[in-house]
Amino acid sequence: MNFYIDIFTLTNVSTTFYSILLVLLFLFWNQNKDIKSIIWWCGFPLFRIINSIISSDSVYYDNEVWIYLGNLSIIISDVLLMIGCLKFSNLKINYYYIAALISLFSIISTMQFNMHALLNSRIQSIVLFDTIIIIISIYALSKLETDKYCLEKFFTIFWMSIQFIVFAIWMVDDFKIINVQDVYLYDLGLSAIYLSHIFILVGLIILAIAKRRNQLIAENIIFEELEKTLTITLTNAQIANEEKANFLTNMSHVLRTPLNAIIGFSESLKLEFYGTLNIKQTDYANNINEGGQLLLKLITDLLNLSNIEDGKVEITLEEINLNHLINKTKPLLNEIISHSNVSLIINNKLNEDCIFPCALVDQIRTKQILINFVSNAVKYGNKNGTITVELNDFDQDYFRISVQDEGVGIAQDQYENIFKPFNRAGSEKTNIEGIGVGLSIAKNLVEQMHGSIGFSSKIDVGSVFWINIPKSKQRNFSLI
Ligand code: ADP
């Protein structure tokens, strides 16, 4: 069968493929810049395209310099392919050797140019250098782990070998094929080389995709391991937390029984149920009673915090009238300040029309927070000062309850610690009793009621602690 392969058509077709595959490679690199070899591989089709352009110029201008530059671009294109392969297989690259290889080729080409060498000897030097480059590239790819890159690796090596085989045939034939009239066979060899280039490029793309796939698999394994470790850690933490909660509950029950007895008996002694006490005895009975009460409060606070943290505290949101809530809490607040010299002012700035259920909160928990604020105002406030409880319409959605004192205030560097459990924000250095859980309980509770908590303070002027609690929708409705 007689067939003729038009070498220019072949060049044009392969240049089109080079361009398409170059764009694909570049786009893939753009998404996966960590796979450095891809950008080197982009140089392979790029310099092949440059070579095609230069070759076509050489045809028009019949200028031999273009031909030599074209030859150089072929070598550069294959060198870039080789560097990419070496990088892809994580092999060490000696750039001096590579520079020496390109320089040597350039020197030989310059000499051939000056000596007006024949096509045959020019092709010989290209083939010789290219063969070295292809062997190194095949060696680099052969180093890839077969279980990870099986198909991709052998596919690319196969097409590299095709080019190598053509070169080998030409060499064995002593390049007569080029000289002799048998131009068809030479073109056939060239076609095989062009075809191999296109499939090598396809191979490079699938190699890059395989690398990304393997990276994802590896990442997935790490994530799964991490997830397992996290699950185990979380389970252990949950178990530890449950144990802590159980321990606290048991301990508080165990401690409460004798404590209640101590408080009860010291109360009876104080009230002189069992006979008159002298001044010293009364003093001691008072001390025992106060100490017992304090201990009971601390234990209750601890248990409260633990229960809140474990989500065991049930919050019952109901629509309540804040005026009623404050009126009901007043006696308790008066009781708290009764042991001190401070005076209490309740400043109710709520709207007069607030006769409907106004706030949507848990009544008991709101009282608890208010009591905590007032207790703190007594503890940390001015011993002879004033505590002001204020209620106001904060905005469309919230009421604000605030407690202001005239105490020492809070240092700015302690602001971030105020609501942290067991953090006393510097008060541990004073002789004021406490364990630093009251405000963290308050924060937890108010947030569960969909409200917020905050404070402002000025050293030696005093502090204002506040909560914003949600208004009930019914109230808004009733106002419309
Ligand atoms: P406790 O009073 O048991 O230490 P709290 O959680 O109620 O625990 O308060 C945490 C810390 O916040 C206190 O130790 C204190 O340093 C600071 N604090 C709270 N209320 C006030 C206040 N009204 N004025 C100044 N400091 C305060």
Side-chain angles (χ1 to χ4, degrees):
M1 192 175 71
N2 191 9
F3 66 97
Y4 176 71
I5 303 160
D6 174 3
I7 195 72
F8 292 109
T9 314
L10 195 66
T11 312
N12 288 340
V13 171
S14 47
T15 307
T16 314
F17 274 108
Y18 291 153
S19 312
I20 296 168
L21 293 168
L22 171 63
V23 171
L24 283 179
L25 255 183
F26 186 78
L27 288 180
F28 193 76
W29 172 78
N30 203 30
Q31 300 286 319
N32 303 275
K33 287 191 178 150
D34 55 315
I35 309 177
K36 300 267 183 321
S37 45
I38 307 178
I39 196 68
W40 290 94
W41 282 340
C42 284
F44 172 58
L46 181 72
F47 276 88
R48 288 283 162 179
I49 295 167
I50 292 174
N51 172 52
S52 307
I53 296 167
I54 290 175
S55 305
S56 56
D57 275 350
S58 67
V59 173
Y60 283 118
Y61 305 118
D62 198 17
N63 185 343
E64 267 199 45
V65 177
W66 287 111
I67 297 174
Y68 281 97
L69 285 177
N71 294 347
L72 187 63
S73 64
I74 291 177
I75 292 298
I76 293 176
S77 132
D78 287 340
V79 163
L80 295 177
L81 167 74
M82 177 186 78
I83 296 178
C85 292
L86 288 166
K87 277 194 171 287
F88 195 81
S89 304
N90 295 324
L91 294 178
K92 206 169 164 277
I93 303 172
N94 193 328
Y95 287 98
Y96 291 117
Y97 288 151
I98 293 171
L101 191 79
I102 297 176
S103 309
L104 192 63
F105 178 79
S106 307
I107 293 167
I108 292 174
S109 293
T110 315
M111 281 164 60
Q112 286 178 331
F113 173 71
N114 288 332
M115 288 158 59
H116 301 289
L118 294 171
L119 173 72
N120 168 299
S121 57
R122 283 200 330 253
I123 292 182
Q124 267 182 27
S125 48
I126 296 176
V127 165
L128 186 73
F129 278 87
D130 243 6
T131 309
I132 298 170
I133 294 168
I134 289 167
I135 290 174
I136 298 176
S137 304
I138 292 178
Y139 168 77
L141 291 188
S142 71
K143 289 283 163 195
L144 289 173
E145 297 123 300
T146 307
D147 54 333
K148 287 186 181 164
Y149 298 97
C150 182
L151 173 80
E152 301 81 2
K153 165 178 156 176
F154 289 118
F155 177 86
T156 320
I157 290 179
F158 171 79
W159 288 104
M160 283 181 174
S161 310
I162 294 286
Q163 189 176 348
F164 178 71
I165 289 166
V166 174
F167 284 169
I169 293 172
W170 286 353
M171 277 194 260
V172 168
D173 188 49
D174 207 11
F175 295 92
K176 279 188 219 128
I177 240 170
I178 299 158
N179 271 349
V180 200
Q181 340 42 27
D182 205 353
V183 78
Y184 301 128
L185 273 180
Y186 173 58
D187 284 355
L188 193 66
L190 266 189
S191 326
I193 290 174
Y194 279 125
L195 197 68
S196 76
H197 286 164
I198 290 163
F199 282 110
I200 287 170
L201 267 171
V202 173
L204 298 182
I205 293 175
I206 58 172
L207 270 171
I209 293 172
K211 185 154 215 161
R212 174 50 80 231
R213 183 196 62 213
N214 289 333
Q215 282 173 347
L216 288 177
I217 293 172
E219 274 168 20
N220 220 18
I221 292 171
I222 294 173
F223 278 135
E224 275 170 13
E225 290 290 318
L226 216 66
E227 207 180 334
K228 266 187 215 158
T229 321
L230 274 178
T231 318
I232 294 169
T233 316
L234 198 73
T235 319
N236 286 345
Q238 272 165 353
I239 294 170
N241 209 28
E242 269 167 34
E243 280 170 1
K244 179 206 80 183
N246 288 341
F247 169 78
L248 273 174
T249 317
N250 293 340
M251 274 309 280
S252 75
H253 283 309
V254 170
L255 289 174
R256 255 180 231 234
T257 320
L259 251 182
N260 280 328
I262 292 170
I263 293 167
F265 286 126
S266 58
E267 198 85 44
S268 314
L269 285 176
K270 265 171 66 183
L271 296 172
E272 301 187 328
F273 280 170
Y274 309 108
T276 337
L277 302 182
N278 62 31
I279 299 172
K280 209 159 198 158
Q281 286 167 334
T282 316
D283 227 25
Y284 286 158
N286 275 336
N287 285 347
I288 295 168
N289 191 267
E290 277 169 20
Q293 299 275 12
L294 181 70
L295 214 55
L296 191 63
K297 186 185 172 305
L298 296 185
I299 291 167
T300 314
D301 276 354
L302 265 182
L303 192 66
N304 257 336
L305 182 70
S306 154
N307 284 343
I308 289 171
E309 281 181 347
D310 293 345
K312 284 186 189 158
V313 169
E314 254 185 45
I315 298 284
T316 320
L317 297 181
E318 49 185 340
E319 290 165 336
I320 56 149
N321 187 329
L322 270 189
N323 293 322
H324 292 170
L325 179 90
I326 283 295
N327 288 340
K328 273 200 259 173
T329 322
K330 236 184 228 171
L332 276 170
L333 302 182
N334 282 325
E335 162 64 22
I336 293 168
I337 62 155
S338 65
H339 305 289
S340 67
N341 236 352
V342 297
S343 42
L344 179 75
I345 297 175
I346 297 194
N347 201 354
N348 189 344
K349 291 187 175 172
L350 288 182
N351 254 333
E352 281 304 307
D353 63 357
C354 192
I355 47 168
F356 291 103
C358 307
L360 190 66
V361 287
D362 182 314
Q363 207 169 162
I364 296 171
R365 302 301 172 190
T366 312
K367 263 195 219 169
Q368 188 182 340
I369 296 169
L370 189 53
I371 290 168
N372 177 259
F373 281 179
V374 174
S375 309
N376 278 352
V378 174
K379 280 201 292 185
Y380 304 104
N382 183 341
K383 299 292 166 240
N384 301 307
T386 307
I387 294 173
T388 313
V389 176
E390 190 176 293
L391 275 87
N392 63 42
D393 241 329
F394 181 68
D395 64 15
Q396 216 186 335
D397 301 315
Y398 294 97
F399 292 116
R400 174 168 283 194
I401 305 177
S402 61
V403 176
Q404 181 170 13
D405 63 52
E406 297 170 341
V408 284
I410 300 163
Q412 207 155 350
D413 60 346
Q414 293 294 350
Y415 282 8
E416 56 181 327
N417 298 325
I418 290 297
F419 297 107
K420 286 185 188 160
F422 303 108
N423 198 313
R424 298 211 59 212
S427 297
E428 64 278 7
K429 292 177 205 133
T430 66
N431 55 7
I432 303 170
E433 277 143 356
I435 52 169
V437 296
L439 287 178
S440 61
I441 291 176
K443 184 174 187 308
N444 263 304
L445 291 175
V446 77
E447 282 171 359
Q448 285 192 54
M449 293 192 281
H450 313 296
S452 57
I453 194 167
F455 71 96
S456 60
S457 185
K458 222 172 190 175
I459 291 286
D460 291 334
V461 176
S463 313
V464 188
F465 278 83
W466 53 259
I467 50 168
N468 282 354
I469 49 173
K471 290 177 176 179
S472 94
K473 294 279 178 288
Q474 200 175 321
R475 174 185 179 275
N476 291 343
F477 179 70
S478 68
L479 285 178
I480 293 169

